[in-house]
Amino acid sequence: MSEEIRKNSYDESQIQVLEGLEAVRKRPGMYIGSTSVKGLNHLVYEVVDNAIDESLAGFCKNISVTINKGNTVTVIDDGRGIPTGPHPKLGISTLEVVYTILHAGGKFGGEGYKVSGGLHGVGASVVNALSEWLEVTVYDSRNGEEFYQKYSRGKPLSPVKRIGKTDKTGTKVTFLPDAEIFETLEFEYETLLTRLREQAFLNAGINIVFTDDRGEKPVVNTLCYEGGIRSFVEYLNENKTGLHDVIFVGQQNENNSAEVALQYTDSYSETILSFANDIRTTDGGTHELGFKTALTNVLNDYARRYKILKDADPSLSGEDVREGLAAVISVKLTEAEFEGQTKTKLGNSEMKTVVSKLLTDKLATFFEENPTVIRAILNKAVTAQRAREAARKAREQARRKTGLDSGQMPDKLRDCNERDPALTELFIVEGDSAGGSATQGRDSRFQAILPLWGKMLNVEKARADKIYGNDKLSPVITALGAGLGEEFNESKLRYHKIIIMADADVDGAHIRTLLLTFFFRFMRPLIEKGYVYSAVPPLYKLTRGKTVRVAYSDEERDKVSAEMRKDNPNVKIDISRFKGLGEMDPGELKETTMDPTKRTLRRITLEDAVAADRIFNVLMGEDVGPRRQYIEQNARYAVNLDY
Ligand code: 28G
């Protein structure tokens, strides 16, 4: 190829490049969901996904992900390195093509179709387009050479450069998200950690080292699970007592595969996490349906065959057989269809049969060979069935005695005037003093306050019958008005924003964990439909003379303090830390935490609730050691301590 032609094709492809990536900058939401912190976190997933693909191809074992000071992120893998030679069609380096050309469609999706959770190996150019700058280094195993290119907002600053010889192999990427695009540049370590851990479970053996280098001391987590989804279930049940070892069944078919790991514990909560092509399917779908249906059938069949259930006994319900169950379902298929508004529900009908056949064949066989395991499980399911019957009776009784249905509201509730639930908010506040401040600081037209205090009930160890009689939780049930468990009725919900307002300390962690686990177990639709929030109180108060401002993070504290002394660098700014909500006067609480036009709310996700359920026994347990350790380890993230 002559120099002249090369130059032309380079220019032509550049034109295409500019158009492509401009589209991403114009409508970032189309490509990464949003420009909030969620979209920001998404950038990391996109880059890491590429490294994981290289690992799935069998060429990479180690991935390192670091959030650096100044909010840049570095990802390194030890794969083959992105090819740097000329692209067969475009002439320019393949590396540049990968980072500057917006690819339509992906491995799993159709043309230009964005499936939930990721762009599947086509995200590199999207991340590049949305970065103030991005640099990539390739350590090319084929010829032992190092290559480098840097971009600004998606545009190369120069052609791919050959740096020199290297004995390393792999790819290294560092990027700074564009402040013109994103509302915030503060990556959420905990959220990223959860997702990276999930990826490590789903891809057994892969080694991810995840570092937060923004603080004084680096925080490092190493994520490597040889057991794959078996380890995932062990992790979910880490603080619970298993009734048996984790059970694993798997089946590889011609066009798809399915794996299931499960374990029952002596707790009462149900956690089923399903994935399709490593993407979390929060709304379930065919694979989850196949799992639930087959599990109920397999257990009922066995119970009937061995006379654990007599002919006259009613069959075990789905809820009965899932009490205390943690399960992970992972399927892979070539043309996954994701449905629903959020595209988090698997639609491929064949996957129902695939998963249910896997259970009917292999799980049933496992039970035949392990009678003690199945007997322990059935014993629990039969007890659950009886307890459900007892709970029904307790509910009836409670209804008659306490007028749970009478419309009589709890004494402690400071209700609002508005009656349309879509417009109202309920603040659930820890402690009477904070409750008092909140009551004075609220807008009583649409904000209601319910203070909570008293003895903590261990919801992890309680069934519905105990909940109705509990002095801490029954006011919550009554105030919300929608009932619980099987009878939960969303249309009766009295507030569409339920805001947990608690301190970022041990007591606050308690109340949050309790409420989240309670909602998770007994009112799950509340969380699934996004009605539950956590208030975000400020951490710092900055005072200069009569001017007072607040900050919600260390970074914001530094920024605000710099702003306050702009006109006079030597002026004294007094910085104090808010120790708790109770310390704020009603006006401050209103201004910083309650007023919808000024506050920050964090919506609680199902992932938060799963995390709460997992660590519940650590926070509630008698054992002081693990609890202190947990709280100390998470102290840095106290603002977002939504467990
Ligand atoms: C560190 C940050 C994230 C990656 C690779 C390796 C290859 C590759 C990546 O190829 C172009 C398109 C389809 C083949 C493939 C290397 C084949 C041979 C690769 C990463 C060429 C992309 N040698 N490692 N892309 N393909 N790591 N880590 O991005 O046809 S991306």
Side-chain angles (χ1 to χ4, degrees):
M1 198 189 294
S2 81
E3 193 55 35
E4 193 54 44
I5 295 172
R6 273 208 58 166
K7 230 171 140 223
N8 275 339
S9 57
Y10 184 88
D11 290 344
E12 275 160 29
S13 58
Q14 280 304 22
I15 292 161
Q16 188 186 350
V17 170
L18 294 184
E19 282 175 358
L21 294 190
E22 268 319 307
V24 179
R25 289 181 61 81
K26 241 184 226 152
R27 305 183 67 186
M30 287 257 297
Y31 299 88
I32 51 159
S34 78
T35 55
S36 69
V37 68
K38 250 183 123 174
L40 183 81
N41 292 333
H42 210 106
L43 299 179
V44 181
Y45 308 148
E46 291 301 340
V47 178
V48 172
D49 276 357
N50 293 337
I52 289 177
D53 283 347
E54 180 67 356
S55 144
L56 288 178
F59 297 99
C60 146
K61 170 99 175 48
N62 299 290
I63 302 173
S64 125
V65 182
T66 307
I67 311 177
N68 308 302
K69 289 192 172 65
N71 297 321
T72 64
V73 169
T74 301
V75 181
I76 307 172
D77 72 43
D78 61 353
R80 293 167 292 182
I82 303 176
T84 50
H87 188 272
K89 285 203 191 105
L90 300 169
I92 56 169
S93 169
T94 302
L95 173 62
E96 183 169 328
V97 172
V98 167
Y99 270 88
T100 59
I101 296 193
L102 182 62
H103 295 57
K107 274 187 309 193
F108 303 119
E111 267 242 78
Y113 183 83
K114 183 191 174 302
V115 291
S116 80
L119 301 172
H120 306 288
V122 302
S125 61
V126 170
V127 175
N128 195 15
L130 301 177
S131 293
E132 188 178 314
W133 57 261
L134 178 149
E135 57 184 11
V136 50
T137 306
V138 169
Y139 309 100
D140 194 328
S141 56
R142 282 153 290 238
N143 47 20
E145 284 181 324
E146 182 175 328
F147 295 89
Y148 174 90
Q149 191 169 35
K150 187 169 180 175
Y151 318 82
S152 174
R153 304 196 158 101
K155 295 173 198 164
L157 294 174
S158 63
V160 173
K161 265 191 221 148
R162 189 182 157 272
I163 301 293
K165 286 279 169 193
T166 180
D167 47 16
K168 283 193 247 182
T169 134
T171 304
K172 171 169 141 183
V173 175
T174 301
F175 63 94
L176 172 66
D178 193 344
E180 287 176 8
I181 303 269
F182 293 97
E183 292 157 27
T184 169
L185 296 189
E186 286 212 51
F187 291 99
E188 295 176 308
Y189 187 75
E190 286 296 300
T191 307
L192 292 169
L193 179 61
T194 304
R195 164 74 189 238
L196 292 178
R197 184 182 284 119
E198 201 172 274
Q199 292 301 318
F201 282 130
L202 292 168
N203 299 288
I206 201 168
N207 184 49
I208 304 179
V209 179
F210 183 31
T211 307
D212 189 348
D213 221 349
R214 291 172 298 183
E216 275 163 39
K217 272 192 271 164
V219 177
V220 186
N221 275 278
T222 301
L223 312 166
C224 182
Y225 307 100
E226 294 297 342
I229 62 169
R230 292 177 194 83
S231 311
F232 203 159
V233 171
E234 281 167 9
Y235 173 81
L236 291 171
N237 285 342
E238 191 176 29
N239 303 301
K240 298 178 183 176
T241 309
L243 300 185
H244 55 85
D245 288 343
V246 174
I247 302 169
F248 174 87
V249 286
Q251 173 72 46
Q252 173 81 50
N253 301 309
E254 211 173 300
N255 292 316
N256 54 55
S257 66
E259 290 185 343
V260 171
L262 63 94
Q263 185 186 35
Y264 284 87
T265 64
D266 68 354
S267 80
Y268 302 119
S269 63
E270 164 191 336
T271 308
I272 298 174
L273 303 182
S274 64
F275 299 84
N277 295 342
D278 288 352
I279 297 164
R280 177 78 204 282
T281 37
T282 320
D283 291 334
T286 51
H287 53 340
E288 207 174 300
L289 202 62
F291 170 82
K292 287 181 176 172
T293 313
L295 183 70
T296 310
N297 288 339
V298 167
L299 292 182
N300 273 300
D301 283 356
Y302 191 100
R304 294 274 177 216
R305 198 141 28 89
Y306 291 95
K307 308 276 179 236
I308 295 164
L309 284 179
K310 305 283 173 322
D311 288 346
D313 292 338
S315 291
L316 300 163
S317 74
E319 286 203 22
D320 295 335
V321 303
R322 293 194 299 271
E323 188 185 275
L325 172 70
V328 173
I329 306 161
S330 170
V331 300
K332 304 239 160 105
L333 60 167
T334 40
E335 303 216 355
E337 293 161 29
F338 294 96
E339 300 178 337
Q341 239 176 14
T342 50
K343 300 270 174 271
T344 50
K345 186 174 183 184
L346 185 67
N348 304 63
S349 60
E350 73 275 14
M351 294 318 287
K352 180 172 184 227
T353 328
V354 168
V355 177
S356 87
K357 190 168 168 350
L358 168 66
L359 262 64
T360 340
D361 291 354
K362 299 202 176 165
L363 189 63
T365 312
F366 174 87
F367 286 150
E368 289 297 338
E369 289 163 2
N370 295 275
T372 48
V373 173
I374 176 77
R375 284 192 183 260
I377 294 171
L378 284 173
N379 189 22
K380 177 153 179 77
V382 169
T383 314
Q385 188 184 40
R386 289 184 193 136
R388 214 171 298 286
E389 191 45 45
R392 204 163 286 134
K393 286 184 184 141
R395 200 149 55 219
E396 294 300 315
Q397 215 173 8
R399 228 170 238 152
R400 264 175 269 128
K401 263 216 286 238
T402 64
L404 211 57
D405 267 352
S406 69
Q408 172 86 43
M409 283 297 131
D411 289 346
K412 284 276 175 183
L413 177 72
R414 297 286 161 265
D415 215 348
C416 52
N417 304 327
E418 175 61 52
R419 282 283 157 261
D420 178 358
L423 304 175
T424 62
E425 306 180 340
L426 176 67
F427 284 84
I428 304 180
V429 187
E430 148 87 287
D432 261 349
S433 77
S437 287
T439 304
Q440 288 178 56
R442 70 176 173 154
D443 184 333
S444 61
R445 283 173 301 181
F446 65 97
Q447 294 181 320
I449 310 291
L450 182 65
L452 279 197
W453 76 105
K455 194 181 161 308
M456 190 69 61
L457 175 77
N458 191 342
V459 276
E460 189 79 10
K461 289 268 151 66
R463 289 190 170 108
D465 48 337
K466 287 254 174 53
I467 303 284
Y468 277 109
N470 179 257
D471 60 350
K472 192 155 198 157
L473 292 172
S474 68
V476 178
I477 304 168
T478 312
L480 294 180
L484 74 171
E486 292 156 279
E487 293 194 332
F488 181 82
N489 183 350
E490 192 185 332
S491 70
K492 287 192 172 167
L493 191 60
R494 299 180 62 251
Y495 313 90
H496 282 190
K497 282 206 174 75
I498 300 150
I499 304 166
I500 302 172
M501 190 155 77
D503 289 332
D505 62 5
V506 185
D507 289 340
H510 259 119
I511 195 90
R512 247 189 300 270
T513 310
L514 173 88
L515 285 169
L516 284 193
T517 307
F518 170 63
F519 291 147
F520 178 67
R521 282 201 54 208
F522 295 101
M523 300 185 184
R524 197 167 296 186
L526 276 190
I527 295 175
E528 288 171 341
K529 300 275 170 65
Y531 292 127
V532 186
Y533 298 81
S534 183
V536 183
L539 283 183
Y540 297 102
K541 179 174 180 169
L542 298 93
T543 316
R544 173 185 165 177
K546 285 198 176 124
T547 313
V548 179
R549 290 186 56 187
V550 297
Y552 296 85
S553 67
D554 290 7
E555 199 182 57
E556 196 184 2
R557 173 199 60 198
D558 299 342
K559 214 171 96 189
V560 170
S561 120
E563 276 171 29
M564 289 174 85
R565 53 166 68 99
K566 223 184 209 154
D567 58 324
N568 178 2
N570 297 320
V571 76
K572 187 174 160 9
I573 308 283
D574 181 66
I575 300 177
S576 64
R577 210 187 156 91
F578 283 110
K579 285 196 204 70
L581 294 163
E583 232 182 54
M584 276 186 247
D585 63 47
E588 277 173 338
L589 196 59
K590 178 193 179 78
E591 283 280 307
T592 62
T593 317
M594 297 181 73
D595 181 345
T597 62
K598 294 178 184 148
R599 72 187 177 197
T600 310
L601 286 188
R602 185 168 182 267
R603 182 177 257 157
I604 299 296
T605 64
L606 201 60
E607 280 76 36
D608 296 325
V610 170
D613 182 69
R614 199 187 84 81
I615 61 113
F616 190 94
N617 292 319
V618 177
L619 281 178
M620 298 296 148
E622 306 289 308
D623 249 346
V624 181
R627 178 164 64 223
R628 181 181 310 130
Q629 194 191 348
Y630 175 81
I631 290 163
E632 278 168 4
Q633 275 172 5
N634 288 276
R636 274 201 61 197
Y637 306 102
V639 209
N640 282 333
L641 192 80
D642 283 302
Y643 314 106

